[in-house]
Amino acid sequence: MVTQTKIWLSSPHMGGNEIAYVNDAFNTNWIAPLGPNVDLFENAIQDYINNEVHVAALSSGTGAIHLALEILGVSSGDEVLCQSLTFSASANPIKYLGATPVFIDSEYDTWNISPGLLEKAIKDRIVKSKKPKAIIAVHLYGMPYKVEALKAISKKYDIPIVEDSAEALGSMVNGVKCASFGTIGILSFNGNKIITTSGGGALVTDNKEFKAKAVFLATQARDNAPHYQHSHVGYNYRMSNVLAGIGRGQMEVIDDRVAARRANFEFYKKNLSHIEEIVFLDEPDGFFSNRWLSCILTESYEKRESIRYALLKEDIESRPLWKPMHMQPIFADAPKYTNGTSEDLFNRGLCLPSGSNLTDQDLERIVAIILKEFTP
Ligand SMILES: *Cc1c(COP(=O)(O)O)cnc(C)c1O
């Protein structure tokens, strides 16, 4: 029997020049959390998103959310509104600051935070508790949230938005790139994201002072003095100059990576959408998803699991959608505003292998296994 290679959900995909930029760091002995690669990587992200933004390269997307919340003034005892259907890293930094997450359910057009429920929650918190300090909205799997509706709510109630674009580098609404819609945007370059620095993240903002504050806090908050003096609690969150070299190489191929992920989605859709029980999430008008992960909805939890097991048996990794935060044991006590959408998506949804390095044979192998699950 021929053994087939394992297919991962989303694996790193180097472009080729990364190693040269890493070598630059070695050859010049810039083995430090600052240096030319960091500046050039930040510039490359800025050029890609738009020239109005300032970018601070950091050690992780989680660290970027932590700094964003702190810069927006979130502190102990505050409340922060957060999309419930997301990875736990969106919500954990709320806890780092001693604040309380308030979880908001999704809508079916984008699977992201429901604007209607968000506004209801804001009104209710103001009456019952206090005005929330920030909103964390997420472009899940690369599909943008309803940016116009969210912006209007943010403005109406004067509550800033942390735009979690960890999964959405390259996604757009009306030609404008994600990470530039929120008061502060964040990116992740973790190993399974659309581009990677093996581990890393960035804070993106059109406010120059916010960037300066982020870099200050990320480098142990040193006051301007010849000795080490500190009047703030700081963090060690800056990106290493070695890893930023990987990032520079990855930014050279970002357009190819987006195209390849979108082609995966189109392949699945073309070969599976004739099956009535399988539903794909289409892009609303003006929305452009990087299709970081290609996801399907099945008719039931049982069917979702039977497809997942069939793939697993053939050494193919797939994954249920994120389990909503309001259903997680660690957040059991958090206030929540739910409508059943995220729980339904979690029960029926499956993320299919989506790497930009998948071959046509890989995709055909995956589709054949799924089709077998629908053959009587
Ligand atoms: C990956 C991810 C993060 C965290 O990024 P790290 O770089 O892994 O810390 C945050 N939010 C979402 C939605 C993510 O997918």
Side-chain angles (χ1 to χ4, degrees):
M1 202 185 102
V2 188
T3 51
Q4 307 211 67
T5 49
K6 176 167 175 122
I7 299 178
W8 298 93
L9 185 72
S10 176
S11 65
H13 185 186
M14 293 297 105
N17 288 337
E18 290 84 359
I19 195 71
Y21 298 128
V22 170
N23 273 331
D24 282 350
F26 276 74
N27 292 336
T28 53
N29 205 32
W30 279 105
I31 314 292
L34 84 175
N37 278 340
V38 172
D39 296 337
L40 290 164
F41 182 42
E42 289 177 346
N43 291 346
I45 299 168
Q46 186 178 315
D47 287 347
Y48 182 70
I49 290 175
N50 74 51
N51 274 313
E52 311 282 291
V53 297
H54 306 276
V55 175
L58 301 169
S59 55
S60 71
T62 310
I65 296 171
H66 188 184
L67 294 184
L69 292 174
E70 183 156 338
I71 289 166
L72 295 174
V74 174
S75 66
S76 180
D78 287 336
E79 291 190 351
V80 174
L81 302 156
C82 183
Q83 182 166 323
S84 186
L85 187 65
T86 186
F87 178 44
S88 66
S90 302
N92 282 334
I94 302 168
K95 290 291 224 181
Y96 302 168
L97 290 162
T100 303
V102 176
F103 291 113
I104 314 293
D105 216 317
S106 289
E107 42 80 12
Y108 280 105
D109 297 339
T110 70
W111 298 359
N112 293 311
I113 192 163
S114 157
L117 211 49
L118 174 66
E119 182 158 17
K120 191 175 149 204
I122 293 170
K123 287 183 179 158
D124 197 49
R125 294 327 286 171
I126 290 171
V127 173
K128 286 202 187 124
S129 172
K130 52 164 105 170
K131 188 173 139 182
K133 268 285 179 63
I135 299 162
I136 301 175
V138 188
H139 307 298
L140 217 59
Y141 304 116
M143 181 63 78
Y145 62 73
K146 293 190 166 167
V147 293
E148 290 308 325
L150 266 277
K151 255 192 206 165
I153 291 169
S154 164
K155 204 165 154 202
K156 181 170 171 190
Y157 294 93
D158 194 24
I159 304 175
I161 295 177
V162 175
E163 181 192 1
D164 183 342
S165 308
E167 304 177 0
L169 184 61
S171 297
M172 297 183 275
V173 177
N174 296 324
V176 178
K177 292 245 167 58
C178 287
S180 69
F181 294 111
T183 315
I184 297 179
I186 74 96
L187 296 168
S188 167
F189 311 112
N190 201 354
N192 66 2
K193 297 291 165 34
I194 192 154
I195 64 162
T196 183
T197 57
S198 86
L203 183 144
V204 180
T205 173
D206 60 7
N207 184 322
K208 223 174 157 171
E209 276 145 39
F210 285 175
K211 178 188 167 171
K213 187 92 189 276
V215 170
F216 170 74
L217 290 172
T219 50
Q220 306 290 17
R222 279 179 63 188
D223 294 340
N224 198 1
H227 52 273
Y228 276 61
Q229 174 155 313
H230 305 273
S231 39
H232 281 273
V233 173
Y235 307 95
N236 183 3
Y237 277 173
R238 200 68 162 122
M239 179 176 278
S240 131
N241 191 57
V242 177
L243 300 187
I246 304 177
R248 282 180 67 194
Q250 290 274 276
M251 281 309 291
E252 292 175 357
V253 293
I254 176 74
D255 287 334
D256 295 343
R257 298 299 180 260
V258 172
R261 299 248 176 188
R262 286 178 61 85
N264 289 336
F265 180 87
E266 290 308 321
F267 185 94
Y268 287 129
K269 196 173 166 191
K270 181 161 160 259
N271 290 282
L272 294 172
S273 63
H274 64 281
I275 296 170
E276 223 174 285
E277 294 90 344
I278 295 183
V279 174
F280 289 87
L281 182 62
D282 288 326
E283 292 161 321
D285 257 3
F287 281 48
F288 179 95
S289 170
N290 68 5
R291 299 292 186 189
W292 171 58
L293 295 185
S294 291
C295 307
I296 55 171
L297 292 182
T298 61
E299 76 267 34
S300 65
Y301 170 84
E302 290 72 23
K303 193 71 186 183
R304 197 276 310 277
E305 282 301 275
S306 78
I307 296 171
R308 193 172 68 78
Y309 276 114
L311 291 167
L312 195 61
K313 257 194 357 223
E314 302 286 335
D315 218 11
I316 297 169
E317 185 186 21
S318 66
R319 192 198 282 157
L321 299 201
W322 299 121
K323 181 172 181 176
M325 291 304 113
H326 74 268
M327 295 169 68
Q328 298 284 357
I330 41 162
F331 295 124
D333 297 334
K336 57 181 189 254
Y337 293 82
T338 56
N339 56 20
T341 305
S342 63
E343 185 167 353
D344 175 48
L345 293 169
F346 168 61
N347 283 330
R348 297 192 290 124
L350 188 68
C351 306
L352 300 175
S354 301
S356 48
N357 47 8
L358 291 177
T359 63
D360 288 351
Q361 289 94 309
D362 290 337
L363 290 164
E364 276 157 20
R365 201 174 127 201
I366 296 159
V367 161
I369 294 163
I370 298 173
L371 285 175
K372 233 161 86 188
E373 291 300 303
F374 292 91
T375 318

